Amino acid sequence: MPPILAFAETRGGELRKVAFEAVTAARQAADASGSGEVHAVMIGAPGLAGRAEDLGRHGADLTLVVEHPGLERYSPEVFAATLAERVKTTGYRAAFFTASAQGRDLAPRVAARLGISMASDVTGFELQGDTVVAQHPAYTGKVNVTLRLTGSPAIISLRPGFVTPAEQPRGTRVETLAPAMDPTTARVMVTELSQRSTTKLDLGEASIIVSGGRGLRAAENFKLVEDLADAIGNAAVGATRAVTDDGWRPPTDQIGQTGRLVSPDLYIAVGISGAIQHLAGMRTAKTIVAINKDKDAPIFKVANYGIVGDLFEIVPRLTDEIKKTRRG
Amino acid sequence: MQIAVCIKRVPDMELRFSIAADHKSLDPAGLKYEMGDFDGYALEVGLQLTEKQGGEVVIVSVGPDGVQETLRKGLAMGAARAVQLKADEVPVDGWAIAQALAAELTGGGWDLILFGRMATDTAHGTVGPMTAELLGLPCVTAISQLDVTGSSGTARRDLEGASESVQFPLPAVLTIDEGIARPRLASLKGIMAAKKKPLEVKPAQLGRPNLVVERMELPADRPPGRIIGEGPDAVPELLRLLQTEAKVL
Ligand SMILES: Cc1cc2nc3c(=O)[nH]c(=O)nc-3n(C[C@H](O)[C@H](O)[C@H](O)COP(=O)(O)OP(=O)(O)OC[C@H]3O[C@@H](n4cnc5c(N)ncnc54)[C@H](O)[C@@H]3O)c2cc1C
Ligand SMILES: Nc1ncnc2c1ncn2[C@@H]1O[C@H](COP(=O)(O)O)[C@@H](O)[C@H]1O
């Protein structure tokens, strides 16, 4: 079988978790459908090549390194041109991206340059002959759609978090690849990348999310939510649109139909009514806990465990009890 | 400024859906339609730009005659004219749709072509950047802030835990995230005026779809919600359940 390409996303010279998800998915697909090779591609400023080993550990047979001083930040045109050219000249069976902010920008450009269709944000897939059958939650998560994508290569972006990175060590070969165009001539330029926090977990990567709504009454009360997340450890903090609208939290913390879609193992909704647009973003969480003073709040219809009452009494108690169990 | 905004008609997501007998589509009975959420934001961005800098907004939609109602709503909000690219069925394949939009928009002298970050029904987010590639235009996706002056612009894109500032020349294709502008409500005057605004109907030059729906299913219902207690005294029981039943702590 022809090889499978996996785009390994980097930021600031480091591989992101989604890079290992893409390579793991490519390895699994290659193994499931014969014995094809996995080629991983990294693009960035000089110094990336040292990361190739990490991709090899996750199953890349070949790592292609595209380095240029002008590629310290994302450059949509250079990335798309370079990947499209590589796919064209090598003849891949499939090219895997993740549906991260960068992957969602990049994958459709590559597909269009190749003149082919693609499947976006998939949560499951199978290569079958010259088609791919892929799962994709659509209609704000209310409908599971199975799609059939015909043609080669199959361009797919994988929903972040749906593949668990797994180690399948290969001694990866490393080759350098020149960018298909001079980065200084690109029309679209990313002039600045501001990282909000390097320590805080991203909503998409957290297995536990504590989320706050208007019931918290004021920005400073979000401390209750943050303290709970800290006590749990490894938890991210989310919010409703009511909260991001009021500027209590940044817009990027918003979960829902027009915000982030998350499926953590545990979602704790604090002072959140459970409007349908909010449920659209978190309804697929494995376990949902709701704390709300109104026993008729719609959030209780989806909560595995609900507590009715004043969050200002319940949340501090929960934080304390968790701290106790962590200590003892 | 000449601004085109691509608008998709999508089902009202607050309604309960059921799947049609073919298991490949939604049962149309009882569906209501509206403008996609992000398309509403895109239209509002276009309207505000032309209000400040002059010019007009033209809205374009690929779909059956039912999209005319959505286009009239856009006209009522303030778009100058509308184009329906008529297709009895809208393919799920973003590449097929992008070809119809690019065929219509090519050579139109647009300064900006705006899309939603994604359609609220398909949730693909591919039509905008694909149309940009077909038109050979610079493209910035999922922007949550925008500043356009003269022949260039700057935008902000939110990433996971970070954001990017992006510079681009005009003409350009932009896809709009939430955050820049909430769509206005049409005024009565706007609704009256919309009835007289031009709405042109042309056949859609769709590409051949290579992405098709094989099956549609409703996700399994969650178990019914369960209230385990009231007030802070319920906390120990909650912890016990999270540790021993759900095994998530
Ligand atoms: C097109 C569109 C897109 C949207 N997209 C999103 C989206 O992506 N995400 C999103 O979240 N929303 C979205 N919304 C908004 C959504 O409809 C709701 O308005 C929003 O989710 C409500 O947020 P909330 O639950 O924080 O506030 P509210 O609905 O005001 O609920 C506050 C809750 O707190 C409870 N409460 C108050 N005080 C206490 C207390 N002391 N102790 C315990 N409980 C208390 C109340 O009982 C109430 O249930 C969208 C709306 C539209 C129209
Ligand atoms: N049938 C359509 N007619 C007009 N615009 C569309 C259509 N489908 C998608 N779009 C535009 O493309 C964006 C992204 O759609 P999608 O790639 O399907 O998520 C939408 O927000 C619209 O702006």
Side-chain angles (χ1 to χ4, degrees), chain A residues 42 99 106 133 142 185 202 205 281 296 314:
Chain A
M42 289 189 283
L106 181 56
V133 173
K142 291 175 93 175
T185 64
D202 179 64
E205 292 174 356
D296 296 320
I314 298 165

Side-chain angles (χ1 to χ4, degrees), chain B residues 41-57:
Chain B
Y41 304 142
L43 176 53
E44 182 61 37
V45 167
L47 292 173
Q48 288 187 16
L49 279 171
T50 52
E51 279 160 5
K52 277 191 222 112
Q53 312 194 6
E56 60 175 22
V57 172

Side-chain angles (χ1 to χ4, degrees), chain B residues 56-135:
Chain B
E56 60 175 22
V57 172
V58 178
I59 50 181
V60 184
S61 188
V62 179
D65 289 342
V67 306
Q68 289 181 11
E69 190 188 328
T70 313
L71 289 170
R72 287 280 171 218
K73 190 184 159 199
L75 294 172
M77 285 169 67
R81 58 189 174 86
V83 181
Q84 176 199 359
L85 298 175
K86 188 174 158 115
D88 292 336
E89 260 183 75
V90 181
V92 73
D93 187 347
W95 177 234
I97 296 172
Q99 289 172 68
L101 290 170
E104 169 62 22
L105 294 169
T106 186
W110 311 106
D111 297 295
L112 286 174
I113 301 176
L114 306 180
F115 291 81
R117 164 162 76 89
M118 63 183 189
T120 335
D121 55 356
T122 59
H124 285 149
T126 59
V127 173
M130 284 178 159
T131 306
E133 291 292 340
L134 282 166
L135 295 171

Side-chain angles (χ1 to χ4, degrees), chain A residues 77-144:
Chain A
E77 292 162 40
V78 180
F79 281 46
T82 307
L83 289 169
E85 189 175 288
R86 172 73 191 185
V87 170
K88 236 184 255 167
T89 52
T90 306
Y92 286 98
R93 170 63 189 93
F96 288 178
F97 296 80
T98 48
S100 60
Q102 189 176 103
R104 276 185 180 261
D105 184 89
L106 181 56
R109 296 176 193 259
V110 174
R113 277 166 196 250
L114 298 167
I116 57 177
S117 308
M118 70 165 288
S120 202
D121 191 31
V122 312
T123 54
F125 68 90
E126 203 185 322
L127 304 186
Q128 301 179 346
D130 72 339
T131 69
V132 179
V133 173
Q135 268 69 49
H136 169 61
Y139 298 86
T140 70
K142 291 175 93 175
V143 182
N144 290 338

Side-chain angles (χ1 to χ4, degrees), chain A residues 285-308:
Chain A
K286 272 202 205 93
T287 300
I288 297 173
V289 169
I291 299 167
N292 194 304
K293 69 175 182 190
D294 171 10
K295 68 168 179 23
D296 296 320
I299 191 77
F300 285 127
K301 292 211 171 67
V302 299
N304 304 71
Y305 309 118
I307 301 184
V308 180

